[in-house]
Amino acid sequence: MKLRRDIFQAISDPTRRAILVLLTSQAMTAGAIASNFEVARPTISKHIQILNECELVKANQQGREIYYELKIEKMKEIDKWLEQFRKIWETRFEQLDDLLSTLNNKKNEE
């Protein structure tokens, strides 16, 4: 039985996040991705495999090479989940801004 990997566990690793950033500009082979890191290529291949299992990247065979590219749809799923927290943060920042403005106004009145 193959376990389904969790997308948030996948992006929790800094190396995998760096790979995703690399793939934002262009599709790359595993070798090209690995050349950006100071770890063994099999280690990068394992990270790519995890990202692929989570459907954050997709593999496209072109001749003898396999190119990996970012799957924007999955990134949108992460963003959608984070949106609920973004709204909370914005509300709290607005409340803090209001409080600071009130305190500043009272100070200026003295």
Side-chain angles (χ1 to χ4, degrees):
M1 179 174 104
K2 187 175 182 180
L3 294 175
R4 178 154 157 46
R5 295 195 184 269
D6 180 78
I7 193 170
F8 292 100
Q9 185 179 18
I11 63 171
S12 70
D13 184 276
T15 301
R16 290 192 285 270
R17 288 194 309 270
I19 291 169
L20 292 172
V21 170
L22 280 173
L23 296 176
T24 59
S25 60
Q26 64 181 345
M28 300 173 79
T29 63
I33 293 168
S35 70
N36 290 277
F37 299 91
E38 293 182 4
V39 295
R41 184 175 167 166
T43 302
I44 295 300
S45 292
K46 181 65 177 171
H47 284 302
I48 294 169
Q49 176 188 354
I50 291 168
L51 293 170
N52 194 30
E53 288 172 7
C54 291
E55 299 177 345
L56 288 165
V57 300
K58 67 178 174 180
N60 292 316
Q61 182 93 31
Q62 294 180 13
R64 292 176 33 162
E65 298 285 349
I66 298 173
Y67 285 84
Y68 295 92
E69 64 181 278
L70 185 64
K71 287 184 74 175
I72 299 297
E73 306 81 36
K74 275 293 184 181
M75 298 304 289
K76 287 180 182 176
E77 284 182 32
I78 295 168
D79 185 56
K80 184 178 178 182
W81 185 82
L82 287 171
E83 180 63 28
Q84 62 188 329
F85 299 102
R86 197 174 294 120
K87 289 177 182 174
I88 293 168
W89 298 329
E90 287 173 359
T91 300
R92 288 186 179 169
F93 283 131
E94 287 171 9
Q95 290 170 345
L96 179 59
D97 189 43
D98 291 346
L99 176 63
L100 293 174
S101 293
T102 301
L103 292 174
N104 193 31
N105 288 340
K106 285 182 180 181
K107 184 178 179 181
N108 289 337
E109 291 174 1
E110 293 176 354

